[in-house]
Amino acid sequence: MPTLHWVGKEKVVNHHHDVPFRVLDKVSTFRASEGLPVNSTDNRIIHGDNLEALKSLLPEFEGRVKCIYIDPPYNTGNEGWVYNDAVNDPKMKRWLGQVVGKEGEDLSRHDKWLCMMYPRLKLLHRLLSPDGSLWVSLDDNESHYFKCVCDEIFGRENFIMDFIWRKRDGAPNDRTVGSVHEHVFVWAKSRRAGSSQTVAEEQFNLMPRTEKADAQYKVFAEPNGPDERGAFRKIDTTANGKGGRYVESLYFPIRNPYTQEDVYPRAGTCWRHNREEMERLQNERRLYWGVKGTATTPMRKLFAFEAKQGMTTPSIWEDVGLNQHASSELEQMFGKKAHFDTPKPTSLLERIVQIATFKDSIVLDSFAGSGTTGHAVIKINANDGGTRKFVMIESQDYAETTTAERIRTAIRGYGVPGKIVAGLGGGFDFYTVGEPMFLPDQNLNEAVGTEAIRGYVAYSEGIPPDQRTTPENPHTPYLLGLNRDTAWIFHYEPDRATSLDMDFLSSLRFGGETGATRPGTVVIYADRCLVSPDLMRRYGIVFKKIPRDITRF
């Protein structure tokens, strides 16, 4: 598959591996007051560089996120965003100098934007579940380059759609040609061999039916009275025969039961169904012959009770709000004009979350901005009783004052007398990106705490999440994970040898009291171990020294 090349690409292709792993520090917790609706509370807002934050999410969320939505800077040259839109930001220049080298200073803003996005997309790909989907809002500035990059990372075969969202009522007056739309690109994580759809598409939800769609189903008059099965929609029984689509075997007569005349498809057409199917439709009174029964071409009846319980999502969205609606919503929530020029309307994110998630899904937004994604998640939960969780990351200083405050306001409710918006309930925890797991000299950073080290070891050593245990495990606080073949033991105390003895190791069992078996291998993570190599081999013990033998990711 052809790939897009730009200056500096070779330096960032694997940069996500070099990003230091940092712990996430919980700063505060917010919960709805008593009396508000029940909603999800295990939500997170993270303040910090989203590249580092994304990597910090891997131990808990890799392969678990059902829906990722991002609204990255559009690289218009006007935004002055913290990464590189105005390409004058000192932080971005330092990062490019470290990663790309001296030539980073001479990159075009397009090269720099792609250098910024690539490692973040690599981490998003790892976080996405096998049945998940990535949704990306962009305008025309970088959309076509971005499509090439995302095709490379997610696979061109996993591209689903470029949805067109109408963002404003009319074109801007300061141009002779003006844009009124933006793109919402969608990729899946995977596709089954031979399938015409990605795994994500197979699980997408239909849109709710509209009154306009339901109005197509009516009770029609017929010679023997209305059909007792109720309202139906009329479907053409013929197909256009032009362009080599004419099928001779589908041109045959059928008998009008009212006039007893044989009728054929209209000139230039053939039936959509074979003779056997047309006879079945006739026998089951599923062909409509008109009010008086004199139609020369019958229509097939599709009854309302047979219709899909939802609607196929079209590729053009003109019914999910405009930028101006989003601005008005923020102004109502904060009681003053928001400093976001082009926020996304909550209804746009509601549409995406409704299509792409189950009631218990995890939704991630690593360019959180004003917090629209989190607002949409708890709003949909309030409507359908779901327990969806959101994780939002925002690098800017307004993460607390705008992103988090918006969610607090949505949870509590807001408005003025006569225009009260009810609280949605729920809650979230606010985090910052904290200390690195390893110091510059590659020694373990003890300041992160034992629990963070324990979690890092479990993830980096590949212990499956469903086989990990917690320190509160009643069997032993030292047990890190357990299955039929292996027991993983975490007994790390700096500068101390493990005190676990053979009686303890012999007591390890997998399974219930009946038929419990001792794992064949016991892996011990500690600073030092005094057991002799011969004894280790005899009892299937593997010792791994922390941090020397721990895999870095």
Side-chain angles (χ1 to χ4, degrees):
M1 181 184 75
T3 58
L4 180 69
H5 292 276
W6 65 89
V7 179
K9 178 181 180 180
E10 70 280 359
K11 302 292 181 64
V12 298
V13 165
N14 293 309
H15 177 63
H16 59 291
H17 294 305
D18 302 325
V19 177
F21 177 85
R22 294 178 178 273
V23 298
L24 296 175
D25 294 331
K26 186 188 293 188
V27 175
S28 62
T29 295
F30 182 83
R31 295 291 183 268
S33 58
E34 191 174 345
L36 285 170
V38 175
N39 209 317
S40 60
T41 57
D42 190 17
N43 300 302
R44 305 184 190 189
I45 298 176
I46 303 168
H47 180 205
D49 181 275
N50 59 9
L51 185 60
E52 295 176 340
L54 287 171
K55 188 154 188 176
S56 297
L57 292 174
L58 287 174
E60 185 174 357
F61 292 102
E62 181 168 17
R64 295 182 57 208
V65 180
K66 178 67 171 169
C67 173
I68 297 175
Y69 171 79
I70 60 173
D71 183 14
Y74 287 3
N75 202 18
T76 64
N78 300 320
E79 296 149 348
W81 51 285
V82 73
Y83 300 105
N84 71 344
D85 191 73
V87 301
N88 291 319
D89 179 69
K91 182 177 179 181
M92 186 62 194
K93 283 187 173 181
R94 286 195 301 272
W95 182 79
L96 285 168
Q98 294 167 358
V99 178
V100 180
K102 266 193 171 182
E103 63 269 29
E105 299 176 5
D106 302 321
L107 300 186
S108 73
R109 65 183 177 89
H110 302 290
D111 293 324
K112 292 179 179 180
W113 190 87
L114 292 167
C115 283
M116 183 275 294
M117 290 301 299
Y118 198 95
R120 288 163 173 82
L121 290 169
K122 294 286 280 189
L123 292 174
L124 290 173
H125 184 266
R126 291 177 62 176
L127 289 162
L128 197 61
S129 65
D131 60 354
S133 54
L134 168 72
W135 302 68
V136 186
S137 283
L138 285 172
D139 67 5
D140 288 336
N141 278 282
E142 298 291 352
S143 60
H144 302 88
Y145 298 113
F146 184 85
K147 170 72 165 59
C148 295
V149 171
C150 239
D151 280 347
E152 177 182 333
I153 295 173
F154 285 80
R156 189 171 182 178
E157 71 280 3
N158 291 324
F159 177 69
I160 296 175
M161 183 73 69
D162 173 10
F163 287 101
I164 300 301
W165 167 55
R166 186 183 181 97
K167 66 177 182 178
R168 54 185 299 161
D169 280 326
N173 293 324
D174 60 345
R175 302 189 60 175
T176 54
V177 177
S179 174
V180 298
H181 77 278
E182 288 183 5
H183 306 270
V184 181
F185 291 104
V186 189
W187 282 265
K189 179 72 172 280
S190 60
R191 178 190 292 266
R192 293 188 179 89
S195 175
S196 61
Q197 291 184 316
T198 63
V199 178
E201 287 176 273
E202 293 173 354
Q203 298 182 5
F204 277 174
N205 299 306
L206 295 169
M207 287 172 51
R209 295 191 63 83
T210 64
E211 291 183 6
K212 181 179 179 181
D214 288 337
Q216 299 179 64
Y217 294 85
K218 301 176 182 178
V219 176
F220 293 92
E222 298 186 61
N224 297 332
D227 196 310
E228 72 278 4
R229 289 169 288 190
F232 60 85
R233 182 162 67 94
K234 294 182 289 186
I235 307 293
D236 196 350
T237 54
T238 62
N240 193 333
K242 296 180 180 179
R245 290 174 295 209
Y246 177 80
V247 180
E248 187 172 354
S249 64
L250 296 180
Y251 189 83
F252 51 84
I254 60 172
R255 173 88 26 118
N256 183 323
Y258 301 106
T259 65
Q260 297 302 311
E261 295 177 353
D262 287 339
V263 299
Y264 290 81
R266 294 187 303 272
T269 69
C270 56
W271 299 121
R272 289 182 180 272
H273 312 288
N274 61 27
R275 190 185 297 269
E276 182 180 2
E277 177 64 9
M278 289 297 284
E279 289 177 355
R280 183 188 71 81
L281 294 173
Q282 180 81 297
N283 293 334
E284 295 180 4
R285 295 186 296 117
R286 287 178 173 269
L287 294 180
Y288 179 70
W289 293 91
V291 176
K292 297 181 179 180
T294 56
T296 55
T297 302
M299 304 290 279
R300 182 168 64 88
K301 300 177 183 179
L302 178 63
F303 292 96
F305 65 82
E306 298 173 317
K308 292 189 296 186
Q309 294 306 301
M311 298 173 56
T312 299
T313 304
S315 60
I316 298 178
W317 294 353
E318 299 184 280
D319 58 345
V320 289
L322 309 172
N323 278 145
Q324 66 192 58
H325 298 145
S327 298
S328 298
E329 182 177 35
L330 284 180
E331 187 171 347
Q332 186 181 5
M333 295 183 77
F334 287 98
K336 59 182 179 180
K337 187 175 177 61
H339 65 270
F340 284 85
D341 292 330
T342 55
K344 297 297 185 290
T346 307
S347 50
L348 172 64
L349 270 297
E350 286 181 74
R351 168 71 57 83
I352 292 171
V353 174
Q354 284 171 338
I355 293 171
T357 69
F358 301 137
K359 286 188 175 183
D360 60 350
S361 294
I362 299 170
V363 180
L364 169 64
D365 182 348
S366 56
F367 293 89
S370 65
T372 309
T373 299
H375 190 171
V377 167
I378 60 174
K379 188 174 180 181
I380 293 175
N381 282 347
N383 290 335
D384 69 6
T387 57
R388 298 170 189 82
K389 304 172 185 176
F390 67 76
V391 179
M392 295 194 295
I393 305 169
E394 180 48 57
S395 65
Q396 297 279 31
D397 291 339
Y398 55 70
E400 164 62 34
T401 57
T402 299
T403 313
E405 182 58 25
R406 177 188 186 159
I407 303 302
R408 283 190 284 264
T409 302
I411 289 172
R412 289 189 301 248
Y414 58 93
V416 296
K419 291 185 178 180
I420 298 296
V421 178
L424 301 172
F428 67 91
D429 297 318
F430 189 86
Y431 290 80
T432 56
V433 178
E435 294 273 347
M437 181 63 66
F438 295 95
L439 298 171
D441 61 5
Q442 299 306 306
N443 284 322
L444 202 61
N445 183 4
E446 305 292 346
V448 301
T450 302
E451 197 53 39
I453 297 172
R454 176 189 175 98
Y456 182 93
V457 170
Y459 172 77
S460 64
E461 290 295 287
I463 302 174
D466 61 344
Q467 296 171 16
R468 298 175 196 169
T469 59
T470 64
E472 294 77 24
N473 185 281
H475 183 62
T476 168
Y478 305 123
L479 191 62
L480 188 62
L482 180 68
N483 64 24
R484 190 175 301 278
D485 301 312
T486 307
W488 294 273
I489 305 297
F490 180 82
H491 195 224
Y492 176 70
E493 295 180 61
D495 301 321
R496 291 189 61 181
T498 176
S499 59
L500 302 178
D501 56 24
M502 296 310 301
D503 288 339
F504 164 76
L505 297 177
S506 299
S507 70
L508 294 172
R509 290 290 185 270
F510 175 82
E513 295 181 3
T514 304
T517 59
R518 181 183 180 278
T521 302
V522 177
V523 183
I524 300 176
Y525 301 94
D527 186 72
R528 282 181 287 168
C529 183
L530 301 180
V531 181
S532 70
D534 288 342
L535 202 60
M536 285 187 182
R537 282 192 293 271
R538 186 184 311 169
Y539 286 93
I541 299 171
V542 176
F543 168 66
K544 288 199 171 187
K545 179 177 175 60
I546 297 176
R548 183 193 65 195
D549 300 328
I550 303 305
T551 305
R552 309 294 173 88
F553 67 89

